Amino acid sequence: RVNNPNRFSKSCCTIPQGCGADWTLDYNTGANEEKYRWCWNGPRCARNPALACTKAVEPNMEPQEWNCWKASYFWRLKKCRKMLRIVENGNLGEGQKIEAAMADELLLSEEEGSVKVINLDIDTAYDERGNVVLYAVRAYVLVPIVAGLIVILANR
């Protein structure tokens, strides 16, 4: 079973409106910046309750559209322990950086166990009409070890 977080119109705990509302320009900056980055992280929120997600997944419940997308994603990642990360031209998007922190948290957390992260790096180029032309794909698996991460090259 695959979960595509982009399939749903998700909410965010730094946005006061309901799911699907237009996101304000300051949803991830200024006073919202730290909460936006870390609301899903229980230990960090325990140390700083102001960061706690206000649209968290309720205990013994599955994520709903009104839940914060980060709380929903972390809930699913903890459950399945697998992530396929598509990296375009060597860059992670803003949300992907948060998802990477979630995977790192699970990889390094002894009580949570491991998570398998498969990176699919895609380098693209554009033709003279602006059409995307795919020219290189690399896949690799991040494997946890005691002192950090080791990269296993599966395809180069």
Side-chain angles (χ1 to χ4, degrees), residues 81-83 85 103-104 106-109 113-119 139-154:
R81 306 265 180 217
K82 296 177 185 88
M83 176 193 291
R85 181 185 304 146
D104 290 346
L106 293 177
L107 281 169
L108 301 175
S109 173
S114 184
V115 61
K116 182 177 183 179
V117 179
I118 300 171
N119 269 18
Y140 54 91
V141 178
L142 299 178
V143 179
I145 59 173
V146 175
L149 301 175
I150 185 171
V151 176
I152 310 275
L153 293 176

Side-chain angles (χ1 to χ4, degrees), residues 9-108:
S9 174
K10 287 290 185 186
S11 187
C12 181
C13 62
T14 60
I15 298 173
Q17 300 95 332
C19 181
D22 290 333
W23 290 28
T24 58
L25 295 176
D26 66 345
Y27 74 94
N28 65 346
T29 61
N32 290 326
E33 184 173 4
E34 192 172 9
K35 180 173 182 153
Y36 181 77
R37 299 236 174 266
W38 298 109
C39 68
W40 56 271
N41 187 297
R44 189 178 291 248
C45 293
R47 292 189 302 273
N48 184 354
L51 297 179
C53 187
T54 55
K55 297 179 183 178
V57 178
E58 298 295 324
N60 302 316
M61 298 292 290
E62 290 196 11
Q64 304 294 317
E65 281 195 25
W66 62 267
N67 291 121
C68 176
W69 75 266
K70 297 166 302 246
S72 175
Y73 191 91
F74 193 59
W75 183 94
R76 293 179 192 285
L77 185 60
K78 282 175 36 175
K79 182 176 180 181
C80 76
R81 306 265 180 217
K82 296 177 185 88
M83 176 193 291
L84 173 63
R85 181 185 304 146
I86 299 173
V87 182
E88 296 179 84
N89 296 319
N91 298 309
L92 292 178
E94 181 181 342
Q96 287 178 306
K97 290 176 184 175
I98 294 170
E99 293 164 359
M102 293 176 187
D104 290 346
E105 178 79 15
L106 293 177
L107 281 169
L108 301 175

